[in-house]
């Protein structure tokens, strides 16, 4: 029976708070001379060859839908590309091209989560996982990672926070917001937990190409994990193609097929122009990605050493383009620190608590900014910390 409601919105939507990052940036938008180290996207443009391929496809009038799962030549190139991570997927049945990794995450949640299912979401982590679990009718179950473990997820973390109850576990390494990575040995513990408790893993590896000290390892390559893992990746971060909205998911045929069923009805196909850009990106842009990775790495080293000099403890983040320093001594509230810093020094950082309780007392700093801006921002932070 239909009940009279005071709001036309669904309960799920009403219960989902707006993104804490957005709220923070509205504050920053009004300021002149602001240096923002808050954004989660590369400061580079997509490699020219990829842009040229997009333009060429438009000039040729290639503006129709593609196959639901994405162009088959693109899926073949993706299958070839991910072999560098020892991942092996059949382009026909085990790969789907999506509108950003974001859509793939949403599809996977809807394909795997029944109402009331618990989904373990490590915290701090990227802000979309919890809401996509809720939109699918599930219950996010926060699992806290620890600064003393450099924010790697451990077997103890999972056990302590009751993740055995979960049917799905989200993993995100290299991590947004901490920049943490996980080694094969560390992932093996998580895989063991997943196998023991029959948990399906959604592994967001969108920052796989931005790893600075060792090679990326995917949990899907560990024994017994292929059949219980979907891997997400995409073009936004490695190829600086955020606005083209293209990503993909890799996984067992049954799950990718179910994701495709939802995608058929809700999206039809990922953007065609972006698919042409992606084909070129995979075919010829490894050099451009490597150049960006090297630039990020120089900035990463600079930023980590400056934060430690300033007295804001900063562990050595080895991936993505974020570092996650602690608030300086005397400051416990990351939100208050970030707001005061914006007002007094016009430097925008994101308070760690935006990414879950596990982020409290920390700040997310993106080094996807030019070296001059990074130097100036760190000088401003130093004079702020020295003066308080
Ligand atoms: N996953 C993580 C961990 C991210 O940090 C982001 C963007 O910030 C996304 C997914 C979204 O990726 P896409 O642009 O491919 O939707």
């Amino acid at each position: 029976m239909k009940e009279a409601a005071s709001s036309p919105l669904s309960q799920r939507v009403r219960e989902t708070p707006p993104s804490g990052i957005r709220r923070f940036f509205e504050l920053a938008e009004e300021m002149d001379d602001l240096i923002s180290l808050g954004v989660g996207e590369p400061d580079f443009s997509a490699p020219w060859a990829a842009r040229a391929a997009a333009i060429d496809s438009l000039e040729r009038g290639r503006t129709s839908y593609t196959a639901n799962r994405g162009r088959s030549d693109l899926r073949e190139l993706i299958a070839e590309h991910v072999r560098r991570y020892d991942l092996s997927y059949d382009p026909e049945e085990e790969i789907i091209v999506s509108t950003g990794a974001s859509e793939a995450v949403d599809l996977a949640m809807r394909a795997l989560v029944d109402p009331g299912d618990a989904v373990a979401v490590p915290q701090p982590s990227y802000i979309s996982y919890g809401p996509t679990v809720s939109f699918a009718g599930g219950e996010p179950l926060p699992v806290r990672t620890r600064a003393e473990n450099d924010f790697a997820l451990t077997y103890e973390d999972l056990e302590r926070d009751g993740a055995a109850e979960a049917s799905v576990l989200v993993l995100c390494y290299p991590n947004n917001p901490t920049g943490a990575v996980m080694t094969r040995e560390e992932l093996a513990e998580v895989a063991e937990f997943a196998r023991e408790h029959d948990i399906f893993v959604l592994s967001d590896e969108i920052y796989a190409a931005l790893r600075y000290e060792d090679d990326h390892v995917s949990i899907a390559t560990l024994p017994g994990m292929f059949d219980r893992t979907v891997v997400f990746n995409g073009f936004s971060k490695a190829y600086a193609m955020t606005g083209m909205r293209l990503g993909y998911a890799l996984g067992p045929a049954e799950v990718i097929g179910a994701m495709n069923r939802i995608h058929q009805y809700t999206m039809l196909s990922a953007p065609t122009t972006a698919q042409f850009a992606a084909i070129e990106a995979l075919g010829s842009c490894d050099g451009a990605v490597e150049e960006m990775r090297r630039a990020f790495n120089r900035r990463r080293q600079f930023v980590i050493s400056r934060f430690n000099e300033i007295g804001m403890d900063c562990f050595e983040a080895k991936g993505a383009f974020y570092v996650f320093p602690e608030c300086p001594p005397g400051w416990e509230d990351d939100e208050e620190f970030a707001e005061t810093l914006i007002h007094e020094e016009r430097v925008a950082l994101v308070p760690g608590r935006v990414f879950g309780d596990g982020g409290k007392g920390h700040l997310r700093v993106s080094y996807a900014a030019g070296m001059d801006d990074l130097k100036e921002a760190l000088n401003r932070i130093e004079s702020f910390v020295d003066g308080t």
Side-chain angles (χ1 to χ4, degrees), residues 40 100-102 126 129 172 176 204 206-207 236-237 245-246 322:
S102 303
Y126 178 52
Y129 306 130
C172 173
N176 175 6
D204 184 346
I206 195 156
Y207 294 100
S236 286
K237 313 294 174 170
R245 311 305 306 124
L246 208 70
Y322 309 105

Side-chain angles (χ1 to χ4, degrees), residues 181-292:
V181 299
M182 281 181 67
T183 62
R184 182 178 300 279
E185 294 67 34
E186 289 167 335
L187 286 170
E189 277 189 25
V190 174
E192 189 187 334
F193 190 91
R195 286 190 306 263
E196 275 172 15
H197 300 284
D198 194 18
I199 296 173
F200 199 95
V201 176
L202 298 180
S203 185
D204 184 346
E205 300 177 18
I206 195 156
Y207 294 100
L210 299 177
R211 194 149 166 165
Y212 303 105
E213 301 205 347
D214 49 12
D215 292 334
H216 176 69
V217 181
S218 172
I219 194 165
T221 61
L222 300 185
M225 293 308 291
F226 179 91
D227 286 334
R228 59 171 72 250
T229 307
V230 166
V231 174
F232 308 112
N233 205 330
F235 296 86
S236 286
K237 313 294 174 170
Y239 297 92
M241 281 169 51
T242 46
M244 301 207 83
R245 311 305 306 124
L246 208 70
Y248 53 89
L250 318 164
E254 184 189 9
V255 181
I256 296 295
M259 288 167 63
N260 188 42
R261 215 174 316 148
I262 304 168
H263 172 84
Q264 277 171 349
Y265 291 118
T266 53
M267 193 62 70
L268 297 183
S269 59
T272 302
T273 312
Q275 293 191 47
F276 283 106
I279 288 169
E280 186 62 33
L282 292 177
S284 77
C285 297
D286 272 3
V289 174
E290 180 55 16
E291 248 175 66
M292 291 189 266

Side-chain angles (χ1 to χ4, degrees), residues 19-83:
S19 151
I21 299 190
R22 279 283 131 238
R23 192 190 73 69
F24 204 76
F25 282 103
E26 277 158 21
L27 203 80
E29 259 164 27
E30 292 150 21
M31 290 184 187
D32 292 333
D33 188 28
L34 176 97
I35 302 178
S36 176
L37 306 185
V39 287
E41 61 180 326
D43 56 319
F44 303 106
S45 296
W48 170 246
R51 283 183 273 155
I55 295 166
D56 179 62
S57 76
L58 290 171
E59 282 181 348
R60 289 168 191 260
R62 300 176 108 170
T63 53
S64 327
Y65 297 127
T66 68
N68 294 132
R69 287 168 187 254
R71 287 180 59 91
S72 60
D73 49 358
L74 174 56
R75 278 180 280 129
E76 274 163 29
L77 280 168
I78 290 169
E80 203 179 302
H81 176 81
V82 299
R83 284 208 188 98

